[in-house]
Amino acid sequence: MTLSTKNPTRTLYLQVRLDPAGKPLAIRHDGRIWLVDPATESRHWIGGDAGRGTRCTAAAGGANPAGTEYWRVEARLGSNSALRTFTLRRNPRSVQWLLDDISDGG
């Protein structure tokens, strides 16, 4: 399943558990808990409004503190399940996480 940010059919809210440094550890989505795979590299960036295609990236903690925060992580339901790629976003003035995209891992 892939959700498109260009033509979203609905907004999907998530619960995201973070480590002390702010990196996602687990995602509660669709009644299930997905664990972020520590063996994969997560991608973090700060950007513009993804709905307008202005995802100009800046290094996390860079010069755009008011921009939307994004994380792309690989997560799985259990040790034997397939990896899925989650793209998460959050407005810096909100604690609510949104799902931008979910697709097969890799």
Side-chain angles (χ1 to χ4, degrees), residues 76-82:
R76 64 177 82 228
L77 289 171
S79 60
N80 294 326
S81 70

Side-chain angles (χ1 to χ4, degrees), residues 19-98:
D19 72 8
K23 180 180 176 183
L25 293 172
I27 303 160
R28 181 183 298 272
H29 167 62
D30 201 24
R32 296 176 164 175
I33 296 176
W34 295 78
L35 300 176
V36 175
D37 186 354
T40 62
E41 185 175 331
S42 298
R43 183 167 173 236
H44 183 222
W45 71 96
I46 306 296
D49 181 9
R52 295 187 197 164
T54 57
R55 209 178 240 176
C56 53
T57 60
N64 188 7
T68 302
E69 178 179 12
Y70 292 89
W71 279 94
R72 181 165 294 139
V73 298
E74 303 285 330
R76 64 177 82 228
L77 289 171
S79 60
N80 294 326
S81 70
L83 281 172
R84 303 293 305 267
T85 302
F86 287 78
T87 304
L88 314 170
R89 81 179 141 94
R90 178 176 68 151
N91 183 301
R93 295 176 296 275
S94 173
V95 295
Q96 182 62 61
W97 287 91
L98 304 169

